[in-house]
Amino acid sequence: MGIPDVPHSPHSAPSRAATWFATRFAATARFASAARLASAAAAAAVLGAACGPTPTPPGPPSAGEATAVSDREHDQDQDPRPLRHTPVGPLPAAAPLTTVGPDGELVDPVESLQALLDAGEIVFSHDSVTGWLPSVLATLDIPVSSQALVFSATSLQATRIAPWVPRAIYFNDDVYVGYVAEDVIPMDERILEIASIDPDDGGVFYFLSQDPEQPPRFVREGQTCLQCHEAGITEDVPGVMVRSVLTDRNGYPIHPLQDAATTDRTPMDRRFAGWYVTGTGGGPHGGNVWSPDRFSDIDLPRRAAYADAFDYAAGADVTRLAGRFDTSIYLSEHSDFVALLVLAHQTRIHNLITAAHERTEGALRDQEAARVTRGVEVAEGELLPTTEVAIDAAVERLVREMLFSGAVPLDGPISGTSGFARDFSARGPFDAEGRSLRDFDLETRLFRYPLSFLVYSDAFDALPPIASERVYARFEEILTGTDRSPEYEHLDGPTRAAIHEILLATKSAYTEAVGSG
């Protein structure tokens, strides 16, 4: 696989970050398996093995014992140490982004932001510790409270991630930003990783050099990211995912707690291994702990059983991370439990929206090919039975999971630590009674009105009409009680009615599709 060209300013040489990125592409590609790195965990394990002996983690994580203690006695709002970053100028405001390009084509939010940067309408401020990160979050309107910290070495920057230097993920409805806090790495060798959702095409991947001497430029990347981000775990479409992976004391993956991505259907005790989790309630989960053993000391055939037998219980109810690593080089001290629950939900729904889009367009192309090449007669506006089946299957999967069918009940109450729940809920939209699909429950389920808020996303709105019409029709059947099949029995009558009323008040396309009754 060739290395993609890395565009740069015609007035300057490529940054050292771009050079490092291309080198890492080559290294990652060398280790790619016939399965195209079916999981990021597998790739990171290979990279870890290639790095030779690893150092003992510094600080509180003892090399000889798993680390996870309850911090319930600490005040979760206490922040005894100020962050060390110093911006050189004021942060920009949220950018007026559009998903429609100059030629009328749909574009992702980062492409829209780059156009504003190129036009000089947005100016980034560089931070002495976190680089362009605060400006990126500010212009994309991504809340700092969304910060989630992952210490499993499972990304392109695997060799720069460990329990003592976790990777931070920040997100909103459409964009995910990855930041590795590399205090000892020169700024011009650092990068931000970005996944942005294109309404038509799904996940689009970029990196941004942190070099303050270069103008900020989001460089689009393709094949290397798609080795992991377009596979079975993402529904075979360009997408995003949350994994749950038991690691050793250095962050190298031992084994995933499940082969699939973490979603609303994943039992809580199988979620968030390899992540820090700050919050209380919910029962045992996999966060905040790692094995005292090195992954290379555990025979490959034993790793699945080892991960299954590992005791994760000590990771629950952690509310502070200070003392585990240097939190001052991050924008927040938190890795919010509620943010992680939303992250697992929306990554899955993003992939299913993209899959429904692609399957629908693929079925329509197949029908047209049958008409042209085989002379199959199809009346205008009609669908072949095979086309109907393909579209309905994709739509039904999307409807089920947008309505949280099969979601594992929560053992609440659950609370986070960063204020994410407040920030997220405030985004609305709201009906006349002040109700929103973003209202949390956090007692027995994630949301009070369980229909995914991504119904308001640009990607959902870009579904082919023949798919969106079917989605809306299914919503109406279920929410008005016409469909009372067992897979929706978690929705009682008042909840169905409330969701229906919220949709009618806040989603004009739904009202147009089903009427106002």
Side-chain angles (χ1 to χ4, degrees), residues 5-360:
D5 292 333
V6 180
H8 58 278
S9 168
H11 306 295
S12 60
S15 68
R16 293 171 67 185
T19 302
W20 177 89
F21 198 71
T23 302
R24 177 53 57 201
F25 277 176
T28 304
R30 285 197 298 271
F31 292 117
S33 67
R36 301 187 330 125
L37 297 178
S39 74
V46 174
L47 286 171
C51 292
T54 52
T56 299
S62 168
E65 57 189 39
T67 59
V69 295
S70 172
D71 290 325
R72 275 173 283 193
E73 70 277 11
H74 293 293
D75 178 3
Q76 67 186 37
D77 294 323
Q78 183 180 3
D79 186 356
R81 181 172 51 179
L83 302 179
R84 291 194 280 110
H85 55 86
T86 53
V88 298
L91 291 178
L97 303 179
T98 176
T99 55
V100 180
D103 298 326
E105 78 285 7
L106 293 177
V107 298
D108 69 274
V110 171
E111 183 175 344
S112 177
L113 176 57
Q114 186 63 60
L116 294 174
L117 284 167
D118 292 342
E121 297 180 29
I122 296 289
V123 178
F124 278 1
S125 175
H126 197 272
D127 183 281
S128 62
V129 173
T130 57
W132 301 120
L133 177 63
S135 289
V136 169
L137 300 186
T139 52
L140 291 171
D141 196 21
I142 297 175
V144 171
S145 61
S146 70
Q147 177 177 284
L149 299 170
V150 56
F151 56 80
S152 63
T154 50
S155 87
L156 181 72
Q157 301 189 77
T159 57
R160 295 179 172 182
I161 301 169
W164 58 94
V165 58
R167 177 179 181 233
I169 306 294
Y170 305 87
F171 65 97
N172 62 14
D173 293 2
D174 304 298
V175 184
Y176 306 83
V177 177
Y179 161 74
V180 176
E182 305 159 304
D183 218 14
V184 298
I185 305 294
M187 190 65 77
D188 63 355
E189 294 182 13
R190 307 185 201 179
I191 63 168
L192 298 177
E193 301 166 271
I194 300 97
S196 185
I197 304 301
D198 183 289
D200 271 339
D201 301 324
V204 180
F205 302 91
Y206 297 88
F207 79 89
L208 174 67
S209 169
Q210 292 274 55
D211 187 354
E213 301 301 320
Q214 299 282 343
R217 174 161 294 279
F218 295 93
V219 178
R220 184 164 177 170
E221 203 290 311
Q223 278 306 114
T224 299
C225 292
L226 294 179
Q227 288 180 103
C228 295
H229 287 275
E230 187 178 14
I233 197 169
T234 64
E235 298 296 318
D236 293 312
V237 297
V240 284
M241 68 282 197
V242 171
R243 299 299 310 273
S244 184
V245 182
L246 175 64
T247 78
D248 71 5
R249 64 180 189 257
N250 296 307
Y252 292 139
I254 293 174
H255 201 272
L257 270 62
Q258 61 175 25
D259 292 332
T262 299
T263 72
D264 302 307
R265 298 181 171 193
T266 304
M268 188 60 71
D269 63 359
R270 312 300 288 177
R271 300 191 199 189
F272 308 134
W275 296 78
Y276 286 114
V277 182
T278 57
T280 59
H285 54 69
N288 301 317
V289 294
W290 52 85
S291 168
D293 301 314
R294 286 178 47 163
F295 83 98
S296 56
D297 295 332
I298 306 169
D299 294 338
L300 188 60
R302 287 199 305 121
R303 291 182 186 175
Y306 184 99
D308 284 341
F310 193 81
D311 182 11
Y312 301 91
D317 294 329
V318 170
T319 59
R320 292 186 64 217
L321 298 174
R324 296 165 184 260
F325 57 90
D326 184 2
T327 58
S328 72
I329 57 178
Y330 295 84
L331 296 182
S332 165
E333 289 194 319
H334 308 278
S335 185
D336 191 271
F337 195 175
V338 179
L340 279 162
L341 293 172
V342 172
L343 181 66
H345 165 73
Q346 76 171 52
T347 51
R348 172 64 173 168
I349 300 302
H350 269 312
N351 295 341
L352 288 175
I353 291 172
T354 304
H357 194 135
E358 288 203 1
R359 307 291 191 267
T360 298

Side-chain angles (χ1 to χ4, degrees), residues 477-516:
E477 290 171 352
I478 296 161
L479 298 177
T480 59
T482 303
D483 182 341
R484 292 193 172 274
S485 55
E487 58 192 343
Y488 300 109
E489 64 184 4
H490 64 291
L491 300 172
D492 60 24
T495 300
R496 295 183 191 224
I499 297 172
H500 182 59
E501 291 163 5
I502 292 169
L503 272 183
L504 289 173
T506 61
K507 186 70 178 177
S508 59
Y510 179 70
T511 305
E512 293 169 5
V514 306
S516 57

